[in-house]
Amino acid sequence: MIPASRDIVHGFVGRLGDAGVPMSAGFLDAARLVASELVTNALRHAPGPCRLTLTLVEDQVEIAVSDTGDGFPTFLPRDPLRVGRHGLEIVTRLCDEVITKPHAQGKTVYARLPLA
């Protein structure tokens, strides 16, 4: 699932480029990283399937991952000595906005990554 999420992002960003949507040189790598971190968290912390959705919203791409887990992501304080568990720290550094919304059977984490 995690490599597949990166492939889906790659295809989506390619279609944006084909449509003439301007983006920074590092956007593809950042988008792939954000998606893989969110999917990894969903697979690690939720009991059922997850869904990745990508949406162009003005000058950002919204990367949303829905899962069946009840627990919300835990945002840990920055700690360069901690080994692992830096995924959400990375996502929040790259994205302008990261929010979690509950729904009837789990939650969705939305991360908005600027194109430029």
Side-chain angles (χ1 to χ4, degrees):
M1 289 273 306
I2 298 162
S5 71
R6 289 190 291 263
D7 292 343
I8 290 167
V9 170
H10 189 98
F12 181 82
V13 171
R15 288 188 298 281
L16 291 179
D18 292 345
V21 174
M23 63 192 84
S24 69
F27 179 79
L28 173 60
D29 290 336
R32 289 173 56 152
L33 179 57
V34 169
S36 64
E37 290 295 342
L38 293 178
V39 169
T40 297
N41 284 350
L43 294 174
R44 187 171 287 158
H45 300 291
C50 69
R51 179 179 348 137
L52 170 66
T53 307
L54 304 165
T55 308
L56 178 62
V57 181
E58 298 174 7
D59 61 345
Q60 299 177 325
V61 168
E62 183 176 82
I63 301 167
V65 176
S66 301
D67 65 45
T68 57
D70 292 334
F72 274 45
T74 303
F75 292 87
L76 299 173
R78 186 175 181 275
D79 180 358
L81 299 177
R82 183 177 62 243
V83 176
R85 300 189 65 197
H86 290 280
L88 286 175
E89 184 179 339
I90 292 167
V91 170
T92 57
R93 292 280 260 166
L94 292 172
C95 295
D96 284 349
E97 180 180 28
V98 180
I99 59 171
T100 303
K101 292 183 180 179
H103 46 79
Q105 301 198 347
K107 68 185 166 303
T108 301
V109 178
Y110 299 89
R112 292 231 175 149
L113 181 65
L115 287 161

